[in-house]
Amino acid sequence: TRLFETDGARNPVDLLKRVYGYSAFRGQQQAVVEHVVAGGDAVVLFPTGAGKSLCFQIPALCRRGVGIVVSPLIALMRDQVQALNGLGIRAAALNSSLTRDEAIAVRRALGSGGLDLLYVTPERAVTPSFAEMVADIDIALFAIDEAHCVSQWGHDFRPEYRGLDCLSSHFPGVPRIALTATADPHTREDIVERLALNGARVFTSSFDRPNIAYEIVERDQPRQQLLRFLSRFKDASGIVYCLSRAKVEDTAEWLNAQGIRALPYHAGMDRALRDAHQDAFLKEENLCLVATVAFGMGIDKPDVRYVAHLDLPGSVEAYYQETGRAGRDGLPSEVWMAYGMADVIQRRRMIDEGGSPEEVKRIERAKLNALLAICETAGCRRQAILAHFGEAHPGRCGHCDTCLKPVETWDGTEAAIKALAAVYRTGERFGAGHVVDVLIGTVNEKTERFGHVDMPVFGAGKDLPARTWQSVFRQLLALGLISVDHAAFGALKLEPEARAVFRRERQLFFRKDRPTGKAPRGQKSS
Ligand code: ADP
Ligand code: ZN
């Protein structure tokens, strides 16, 4: 029998207390729940750990019929179903890992109204056979979890998600709720557009994780630097991310030799061993998990005290997700990254030599640059990260390295004005590479073809090297004074905030360039 059926009417607060044992909703959970219970569509953009699951689980329990949850990973489904069953909720998953008999049992339960929640993969949700299977049963709602997977802007694009726009036409009147912890404006627009959620109410909450302290250091002796970072933690567990499987193995082995209990985790490992390492990480108090990004999605370990990156992540979204696995319990946690010019060169090469079509490569380059802007900011890192997600923060958080130890800067106000003027005069139609060419007065096919060689801004920035201008643009981007128009192939645009700089009402200080020699290749983005 069902825990929550004892007193008839299903009220969200009552379910929260009786089924989940929580005393109150957090943040906007209740607003989302009420909106969806009433039949509205919703887009929920809450950071990791905010409690998105309840936003669809409780409405599914309140409404008539079964809630269908689209989820990208079978492992993730399994964990959620297990947890729900533990609470007395009738949940099941339908996916390729089931035996024939198991699948039949799930179908039977579904047909007889014996399920509250059914988890399916996106590819299954859009098949005609699925539509047929649920044709005669009541559907409480569709929840589209990890909705950023629909966007190429997200860090985890899955083409199967693109088919989910058909749910609104196949199942009119069934509320849909899309959820993600990735909420940069491009991904957000993509979710609304690609999932046909134009009429949905959008719920956002702050992406600030005040208990996380951010630090990004210039890499010089990475292993020693890592060891120094790890020595701050006693009897604490954390994650060290590396780009390659080989580096995961090597780093774990080396840490063990240094007396730090470390286990490797990557997709190339034997499944059983990988699961064993994951379980050890979830259970033990003092374990360093060295992993590729294959590790982490759906992991709910509240007391991860640190996350270290030995390589640059692929994007700000990925960095935010990966660092966001620290401190879900709200206690102070530290995240640390060692970053070097080699990363930039390697990442650029991965993009350039990757198999993506050119327009996707442009997106990848723009994403990399946005992350570099955060690495290079002279201002508060938290402020820069949040600005990326369209969220204003006053800065000086006091819990990031740049706040704690201000970096050397130069007054870049005049340079910024020139840079912004060059963007404006060339019509906000060009990427940083071309605008830098205009500033330093490069005569080439493009500057000639567009008549830029005859403009007053042409060569106005001759006094500074191209590399400095690139860094100026990256920092302007980090400050939110310009944005990259991804629809227009990475063209730079002025943001309204740039006006105060033009009027000399706002002074700008830029992080001093690192010594030359190991500088990245000049980049061309348009
Ligand atoms: P998200 O999917 O947003 O990352 P989860 O739904 O996994 O977050 O929730 C994170 C944690 O917070 C879970 O352990 C969950 O049980 C807990 N939680 C969610 N809502 C509440 C609440 N209202 N009160 C207390 N704990 C909650
Ligand atoms: Zn700060």
Side-chain angles (χ1 to χ4, degrees):
T1 69
R2 305 167 72 185
L3 276 155
F4 42 87
E5 243 174 14
T6 46
D7 59 22
R10 297 185 187 173
N11 150 304
V13 178
D14 191 46
L15 286 172
L16 180 75
K17 292 182 181 159
R18 291 159 138 284
V19 180
Y20 293 88
Y22 297 141
S23 52
F25 280 112
R26 274 190 198 155
Q28 297 202 81
Q29 277 177 332
Q30 189 161 6
V32 179
V33 167
E34 285 172 359
H35 179 73
V36 177
V37 168
D41 291 340
V43 175
V44 174
L45 310 163
F46 294 173
T48 304
K52 286 185 288 300
S53 314
L54 290 189
C55 295
F56 63 83
Q57 290 172 359
I58 289 187
L61 297 174
C62 288
R63 289 176 59 88
R64 231 175 113 85
V66 60
I68 294 175
V69 186
V70 179
S71 175
L73 293 179
I74 292 175
L76 214 100
M77 283 184 194
R78 197 186 49 199
D79 294 349
Q80 289 223 6
V81 166
Q82 239 170 37
L84 289 165
N85 290 339
L87 296 172
I89 296 169
R90 302 171 308 169
L94 206 50
N95 58 50
S96 56
S97 78
L98 300 188
T99 63
R100 210 180 118 79
D101 285 349
E102 286 170 334
I104 290 172
V106 171
R107 286 212 178 101
R108 192 167 297 144
L110 180 68
S112 64
L115 284 182
D116 302 308
L117 285 159
L118 176 69
Y119 284 73
V120 295
T121 53
E123 49 274 35
R124 184 175 295 250
V126 301
T127 56
S129 70
F130 182 77
E132 205 174 292
M133 190 168 81
V134 297
D136 297 325
I137 63 169
D138 289 322
I139 301 177
L141 56 83
F142 283 102
I144 301 162
D145 208 2
E146 312 288 353
H148 60 272
C149 292
V150 80
S151 172
Q152 287 191 334
W153 282 108
H155 46 93
D156 199 16
F157 175 53
R158 286 167 195 251
E160 316 86 76
Y161 265 69
R162 289 280 164 91
L164 293 171
D165 60 347
C166 74
L167 293 178
S168 68
S169 46
H170 288 180
F171 304 95
V174 177
R176 289 172 303 140
I177 170 172
L179 310 103
T180 179
T182 299
D184 66 285
H186 306 291
T187 308
R188 193 182 305 191
E189 281 164 28
D190 258 10
I191 289 171
V192 169
E193 199 176 301
R194 299 274 181 183
L195 295 176
L197 281 164
N198 304 298
R201 192 160 147 202
V202 179
F203 296 86
T204 48
S205 68
S206 172
F207 274 61
D208 190 13
R209 298 287 309 276
N211 61 315
I212 296 183
Y214 295 91
E215 181 173 7
I216 301 177
V217 303
E218 198 172 347
R219 182 163 54 221
D220 105 63
Q221 292 171 305
R223 285 184 167 179
Q224 294 307 324
Q225 287 173 297
L226 176 67
L227 206 56
R228 270 203 300 280
F229 171 69
L230 295 180
S231 72
R232 295 181 201 165
F233 306 93
K234 290 276 170 281
D235 297 324
S237 290
I239 308 170
V240 174
Y241 281 112
C242 303
L243 196 58
S244 72
R245 295 170 181 183
K247 190 160 166 182
V248 163
E249 301 273 358
D250 292 350
T251 307
E253 199 180 305
W254 184 79
L255 285 174
N256 278 306
Q258 305 304 309
I260 291 177
R261 182 162 151 66
L263 292 176
Y265 184 103
H266 59 72
M269 278 163 60
D270 172 64
R271 172 92 214 197
L273 187 63
R274 201 171 59 180
D275 286 351
H277 289 182
Q278 173 169 323
D279 284 346
F281 181 68
L282 292 178
K283 289 192 196 105
E284 291 181 30
E285 310 265 270
N286 186 11
L287 179 64
C288 176
L289 196 82
V290 187
T292 59
V293 293
F295 179 77
M297 205 184 196
I299 294 295
D300 185 12
K301 181 176 169 66
D303 58 345
V304 174
R305 285 278 73 82
Y306 61 85
V307 171
H309 279 93
L310 281 180
D311 296 293
L312 192 69
S315 64
V316 183
E317 289 76 22
Y319 177 67
Y320 182 83
Q321 290 281 333
E322 286 151 24
T323 56
R325 292 179 184 131
R328 292 178 73 161
D329 55 10
L331 297 175
S333 307
E334 295 181 42
V335 302
W336 176 92
M337 184 198 327
Y339 140 88
M341 284 306 156
D343 290 293
V344 182
I345 293 163
Q346 183 185 23
R347 282 287 178 184
R348 289 226 172 95
R349 190 168 301 148
M350 280 169 68
I351 296 170
D352 291 344
E353 293 170 6
S356 313
E358 192 50 40
E359 71 263 28
V360 175
K361 287 185 178 177
R362 284 202 186 95
I363 293 174
E364 290 170 344
R365 284 187 201 113
K367 289 206 272 197
L368 173 61
N369 286 350
L371 180 61
L372 293 176
I374 289 169
C375 294
E376 291 181 11
T377 184
C380 173
R381 301 233 193 250
R382 188 180 313 275
Q383 182 183 40
I385 292 166
L386 292 174
H388 181 82
F389 295 112
E391 189 176 329
H393 183 283
R396 293 180 200 258
C397 74
H399 294 291
C400 70
D401 55 343
T402 44
C403 280
L404 291 169
K405 208 163 60 158
V407 295
E408 240 194 294
T409 58
W410 56 287
D411 183 343
T413 312
E414 291 309 314
I417 290 172
K418 282 183 193 171
L420 295 169
V423 170
Y424 183 69
R425 293 288 166 206
T426 52
E428 299 178 273
R429 291 170 50 214
F430 298 91
H434 181 74
V435 182
V436 170
D437 279 342
V438 172
L439 277 163
I440 61 175
T442 307
V443 179
N444 61 22
E445 188 273 326
K446 206 167 166 185
T447 49
E448 284 189 329
R449 176 153 51 99
F450 289 100
H452 294 159
V453 290
D454 301 321
M455 289 182 162
V457 290
F458 189 77
K462 266 197 200 103
D463 52 328
L464 296 175
R467 200 166 51 84
T468 302
W469 285 114
Q470 288 286 355
S471 149
V472 166
F473 279 112
R474 284 200 293 266
Q475 297 187 53
L476 290 173
L477 199 61
L479 289 166
L481 298 171
I482 55 174
S483 60
V484 174
D485 184 350
H486 303 297
F489 304 121
L492 300 179
K493 307 245 175 228
L494 301 189
E495 289 294 308
E497 289 76 18
R499 232 172 281 150
V501 180
F502 271 127
R503 294 204 207 102
R504 290 190 167 71
E505 288 164 6
R506 180 168 170 188
Q507 221 180 344
L508 296 179
F509 288 90
F510 292 133
R511 183 181 270 262
K512 271 226 169 102
D513 262 352
R514 295 190 185 82
T516 45
K518 287 196 271 174
R521 290 181 291 174
Q523 105 227 44
K524 303 265 184 249
S525 50
S526 179

